[in-house]
Every structure is written in structure tokens, then in C-alpha cells.
Amino acid sequence: MKLFRHAAELMQWRRENRLLSVGFVPTMGALHNGHISLIKKAKSENPLVVCSIFVNPTQFNNADDLKRYPRTPEQDLAMLAAAGCDAVFMPDEAEMYPAPPQMRLNFGNLEEVMEGAHRPGHFNGVGLVVSKLFHMVQPDRAYFGQKDLQQFLIIKRLVADLSFPVQLVCCPVVREADGLAMSSRNVRLSADARLQAPALYRALTEAQQRIAQGENPQTVCSEITRRLNETGIFSVEYLTLADTETLASVQSPQAGMEYALCIAAFLDGVRLIDNVVFRM
Ligand code: AMP
């Protein structure tokens, strides 16, 4: 497995392999089996797989979250090599941002809800770094997790609006045995918080069942939110039924249509997100 720290080396390697299709998996490291599922999917569809590891400062709206973001580079490289990854791009901040970026991306309504509403500037940072990485890696396909559903839709918009010649693939959420969605941030949970954390997924599945049975989405979401908040352990930022394309909040779901139930909550000072996509 190749390890590149500079874009020029990566691009040289890409030119040498220009006849082979590349599957790309951008990450912020502290890898877990969710990330590895993306690498394996990419490997099954492309002769070459590139993974990037870069904790992107421009997408953090909270300096403490950035400082405390877990970093496990040696373990990440071992996991990637074992999964059959061909090349890893691990730039430092100066490599990605030789000068502070001035450009601002605007994703319209898509960034005004959920993560966009609660993390100002987040998707501008995501859009910038993914654009830079797409230019450097020149992937044929890029793989993202449904765990970050809004991020996937933002990148779909980015690719359409800027005509990036890349096919996007959305991969299912990988969960721990108790239902908790795998996340690099899970290691920051205390032992007790880790035990409570699966309540988020249980909240999503309960809401899904009740909405599918005809209960009012808003009533269900506010009731479950109140119950989680009353534990004193969770602080829910949002729990909403959303349209899977626009992420606009849905009040009257229609039979046969696909919807996403999305949640974000603080638990023990750690912000976790999760979602389920289902058909009514
Ligand atoms: P991150 O390192 O958190 O930026 O995530 C890198 C990629 O892995 C993103 O496309 C995420 O959506 C995806 N990912 C993170 N957690 C999971 C998971 N539990 N299951 C599937 N994909 C995931």
C-alpha cells in the first residue's frame, strides 16, 4: 500500500495509473468497520482504491471538537492495508490549505436544515475539502456513508453543480451489535454513556414504526425527544422525518414514498448523529 503525504506525489501516481479506475473513500481517520465497509465496497468495484485521512479544520465549527477529534494513524494504516486499500493520502494542513480559503459554497435549502442549521459553515468546509480531494485523486467513483445522509446529498449537489466526473456511491450504516452507529467519536464516550448510546437507534426504530402505523410524525418526534431529554443524559438537537432528496421536514408522509428519520444528540459532551431510511 502506497502512502502519500503530498498531493504532487499522489497525482504523479494517478497519472501512472490513468487507465485504471479508482474508487475513493475520503475520511477523517480513527477508522472503524464503517469506514472499512466503504473500502471493501470500493475494492469490489475498482482495481484501485484510494483512501484519504485528513481531519479537515474548515468543517469544524467547534474548536474543542477539532482538538479532541481522535487520531490513530498507525492503526488506520494497518486496517487499510488489511482491507486491500491501494493508496492512502495523508496530507497535513499546510498541504491542503497553503493559504486560508476565501471561497464560500452555498448549498441553498439543503444546508439550512439539520447539520447545516446546527453547525454553521460545516458544509462549506466539507464542500471545499471534497472538491480539493476530487481534483487531487481524480476518482472514477467515490464512496460515502448513509450515516452522514445530509453530507451525501450536499456532495451530490456539489458534483452536479461543478460537473465533477465522478460517480457517487452511498453505503449503508454499519452498526455495533447493540445498534449504535459506528463513529470515530464513539471512543470519546464514557463507559456509562456508551451503555446508554444505543437509545438513539432505538428512538429511530420506534419513531419509524409509529409513523409507519399512521401516527403524526411531529407528535412522535417531540414525544421521543422529550423522553430522551428527560433522562438527563441526552440533549437532542433534532429528531425529524425528512424528505430523502431535499431533507425538508415532512408532516404528512405518503404511502409508498421513501423518508429519512434523522437524529442528532449530545451525550456526555459528544455529539452523535444517526438516521434510518424507510419506505411508508
Ligand atoms: P468520517 O471519517 O467520519 O468523515 O467518515 C468518512 C466516511 O465514512 C463518510 O462517508 C461517512 O459517512 C462514512 N461512515 C462513517 N461512519 C459510518 C458507519 N457507521 N457506517 C457507514 N459509513 C460510515
Side-chain angles (χ1 to χ4, degrees):
M1 187 174 72
K2 301 269 185 197
L3 172 59
F4 301 114
R5 295 193 184 271
H6 299 285
E9 302 160 358
L10 166 71
M11 292 169 86
Q12 175 59 31
W13 174 83
R14 184 69 184 103
R15 273 192 295 277
E16 288 162 14
N17 290 287
R18 62 184 168 279
L19 297 181
L20 296 178
S21 90
V22 162
F24 177 43
V25 180
T27 80
M28 299 206 296
L31 301 184
H32 49 67
N33 283 336
H35 297 114
I36 296 306
S37 73
L38 270 50
I39 300 285
K40 291 194 169 152
K41 174 78 171 159
K43 195 63 200 171
S44 74
E45 296 180 345
N46 305 273
L48 291 178
V49 171
V50 177
C51 176
S52 63
I53 297 179
F54 179 60
V55 182
N56 175 35
T58 64
Q59 73 186 69
F60 283 80
N61 57 316
N62 176 328
D64 192 50
D65 189 29
L66 172 61
K67 202 173 80 199
R68 291 171 30 154
Y69 199 84
R71 288 166 171 87
T72 55
E74 287 84 16
Q75 189 186 310
D76 292 351
L77 292 176
M79 286 172 77
L80 289 172
C85 182
D86 297 281
V88 183
F89 180 44
M90 243 167 116
D92 65 12
E93 200 177 319
E95 182 72 17
M96 289 305 284
Y97 297 108
Q102 299 300 314
M103 191 179 172
R104 292 286 174 270
L105 297 168
N106 183 334
F107 294 96
N109 294 342
L110 206 44
E111 68 169 45
E112 275 156 25
V113 292
M114 302 198 311
E115 294 303 285
H118 288 89
R119 303 182 67 187
H122 172 64
F123 288 123
N124 176 61
V126 169
L128 281 176
V129 81
V130 169
S131 301
K132 282 167 168 281
L133 290 167
F134 280 179
H135 285 306
M136 293 167 179
V137 177
Q138 292 174 37
D140 296 272
R141 302 186 185 86
Y143 297 80
F144 294 89
Q146 182 208 300
K147 158 101 176 358
D148 300 278
L149 177 64
Q150 191 171 13
Q151 170 174 278
F152 182 75
L153 295 173
I154 289 272
I155 290 165
K156 226 163 106 175
R157 191 79 247 164
L158 179 85
V159 162
D161 286 0
L162 295 179
S163 305
F164 279 103
V166 57
Q167 184 192 326
L168 298 178
V169 183
C170 190
C171 305
V173 184
V174 178
R175 302 181 177 282
E176 302 287 357
D178 59 10
L180 175 65
M182 290 191 183
S183 163
S184 303
R185 288 186 174 88
N186 290 351
V187 298
R188 287 176 47 201
L189 296 170
S190 65
D192 184 42
R194 175 62 191 82
L195 280 176
Q196 309 288 339
L200 291 181
Y201 180 56
R202 285 201 302 272
L204 291 174
T205 47
E206 180 190 332
Q208 175 187 336
Q209 278 166 14
R210 290 173 55 180
I211 292 167
Q213 283 162 7
E215 283 193 57
N216 177 280
Q218 208 156 9
T219 314
V220 169
C221 290
S222 4
E223 193 189 307
I224 294 178
T225 297
R226 183 164 34 77
R227 212 196 305 145
L228 282 170
N229 287 340
E230 275 169 7
T231 60
I233 299 160
F234 293 95
S235 168
V236 177
E237 277 195 340
Y238 60 79
L239 168 59
T240 21
L241 183 71
D243 180 284
T244 45
E245 287 300 317
T246 64
L247 294 183
S249 167
V250 173
Q251 312 301 336
S252 313
Q254 308 295 310
M257 299 293 286
E258 195 181 62
Y259 298 101
L261 260 166
C262 306
I263 193 166
F266 278 96
L267 170 54
D268 202 20
V270 182
R271 191 171 178 283
L272 300 177
I273 62 170
D274 197 356
N275 68 76
V276 291
V277 172
F278 65 101
R279 199 168 284 282
M280 278 291 285

